[in-house]
């Protein structure tokens, strides 16, 4: 059995002020140190700097929720990979389903973003997931295979082994309809097999695959107990210090 670290990342989405971020991170520091997991927070661009400063000396890693697909230049409103590193981010979510749905990101754009993020030396967390209709009509695996093969196109084995995939079924995000541990495990194993077929077993064995979608303190343990679930991406429950602390202190 390969040893993969287990990772828990909170995704704050478009929430919190800088002051709230600082107080949350200070409040989380002790639990993060006691946690069996690697802990990260994906925060809005405006607070990466302050969050990274507050997290300095703790085990909490700070990341961004998105990044531009171009290096620099006349792209008003965009934030580059170099800029998020400069602000203190050590990872970044790419291709979250809200970006795909609300901002029309496609697999080619996700691929350009991942390539750009790898160039600046931080970790991309590539988000994938099928919709309810796709699962019900039996297309979940073909959608996930396409998202993986196109989103990760052209990456080396080493790059694959260094990144994280977040499997987030769209029907589970913000719906309280969490995937059962069995469905999540089966889907993670499928994703790992797609990676193994293209990039080899070693890269697939090292790749971290996190689950996201309505994770809360009650369902976290059963998900984390699955052999192919290497961590969690937590949205709503990461906004509450109490709920997120309880998730990071989940017993294995
Ligand atoms: P949720 O969001 O935990 O609120 O379902 C997860 C996510 O979108 O990353």
């Amino acid at each position: 059995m390969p040893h993969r670290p287990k990772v828990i990342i909170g995704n704050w989405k478009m929430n919190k002020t800088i002051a709230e971020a600082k107080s949350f991170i200070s409040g989380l520091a002790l639990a993060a140190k006691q946690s069996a997991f690697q802990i990260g927070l994906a925060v809005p661009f405006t607070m990466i700097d302050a969050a990274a400063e507050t997290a300095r000396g703790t085990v909490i890693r700070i990341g961004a929720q998105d990044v531009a697909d171009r290096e620099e230049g006349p792209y008003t409103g965009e934030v580059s990979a170099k800029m998020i590193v400069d602000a203190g981010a050590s990872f970044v979510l790419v291709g979250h389903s809200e970006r795909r749905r609300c901002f029309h990101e496609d697999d080619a754009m996700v691929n350009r973003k991942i390539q750009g993020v790898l160039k600046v030396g931080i970790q991309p967390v590539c988000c994938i997931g099928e919709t309810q209709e796709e699962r019900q009509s039996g297309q979940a695996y073909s959608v996930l295979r396409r998202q993986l093969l196109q989103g990760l196109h052209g990456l080396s084995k080493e790059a694959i082994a260094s990144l994280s995939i977040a499997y987030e079924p769209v029907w589970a995000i913000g719906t309280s309809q969490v995937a059962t541990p069995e469905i999540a495990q089966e889907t993670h194993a499928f994703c790992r097999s797609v990676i193994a077929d293209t990039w080899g077993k070693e890269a697939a064995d090292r790749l971290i695959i996190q689950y996201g979608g309505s994770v809360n303190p009650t369902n976290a343990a059963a998900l984390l107990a699955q052999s192919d679930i290497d961590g969690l991406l937590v949205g709503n429950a990461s906004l509450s210090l109490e709920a997120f602390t309880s998730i990071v202190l989940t017993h294995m």
Side-chain angles (χ1 to χ4, degrees):
M1 232 350 238
H3 180 73
R4 292 183 294 268
K6 295 225 182 206
V7 181
I8 296 179
I9 293 178
N11 173 13
W12 283 352
K13 309 193 180 184
M14 199 171 70
N15 293 288
K16 295 199 189 290
T17 61
I18 292 174
E20 286 166 350
K22 287 182 181 169
S23 119
F24 185 107
I25 292 163
S26 306
L28 181 67
L30 183 62
K33 196 172 163 190
Q34 294 164 345
S35 171
F37 309 102
Q38 290 185 3
I39 311 297
L41 288 170
V43 306
F45 290 131
T46 50
M47 58 190 77
I48 294 174
D49 185 24
E53 190 55 41
T54 312
R56 192 191 298 263
T58 76
V59 297
I60 303 166
R61 293 188 307 144
I62 301 300
Q65 300 170 8
D66 185 32
V67 65
D69 65 337
R70 294 143 208 251
E71 268 180 47
E72 65 180 357
Y75 306 108
T76 305
E78 289 293 276
V79 178
S80 73
K82 210 161 102 184
M83 290 170 182
I84 60 173
V85 173
D86 187 40
S90 59
F91 69 91
V92 53
L93 309 184
V94 177
H96 189 282
S97 73
E98 287 153 13
R99 304 272 346 147
R100 293 179 190 256
R101 193 183 68 239
C102 309
F103 303 101
H104 314 294
E105 292 195 7
D106 59 13
D107 295 315
M109 182 182 259
V110 169
N111 184 252
R112 288 195 297 279
K113 291 185 175 194
I114 291 177
Q115 305 260 12
V117 170
L118 287 169
K119 254 196 205 166
V120 298
I122 61 171
Q123 185 184 45
V125 178
C126 173
C127 305
I128 59 170
E130 81 286 359
T131 63
Q132 179 111 57
E133 301 78 69
E134 288 163 346
R135 181 155 284 265
Q136 277 167 353
S137 61
Q139 295 171 66
Y141 283 7
S142 62
V143 168
L144 294 167
R145 177 184 280 114
R146 188 204 72 225
Q147 290 177 339
L148 286 167
L149 296 183
Q150 295 187 10
L152 307 178
H153 180 75
L155 266 57
S156 67
K157 287 180 185 176
E158 293 69 34
I160 292 289
S162 75
L163 52 84
S164 174
I165 299 291
Y167 168 59
E168 298 202 298
V170 179
W171 45 269
I173 296 180
T175 57
S176 307
Q177 204 192 324
V178 64
T180 61
E182 293 72 27
I183 287 182
Q185 164 58 30
E186 196 182 289
T187 311
H188 282 223
F190 167 76
C191 292
R192 207 179 296 286
S193 76
V194 170
I195 298 294
D197 288 346
T198 310
W199 285 276
K201 188 171 179 312
E202 200 197 322
D205 280 347
R206 283 167 59 199
L207 174 74
I208 292 169
I209 310 181
Q210 300 170 236
Y211 168 83
S214 294
V215 172
N216 61 36
T218 311
N219 59 34
L223 290 161
L224 287 164
Q226 305 300 314
S227 59
D228 281 291
I229 301 186
D230 309 315
L232 304 169
L233 182 54
V234 186
N236 198 42
S238 75
L239 295 175
S240 147
L241 180 58
E242 195 189 341
F244 196 60
T245 298
S246 148
I247 293 172
V248 308
L249 292 179
T250 300
H251 284 293
M252 289 300 296

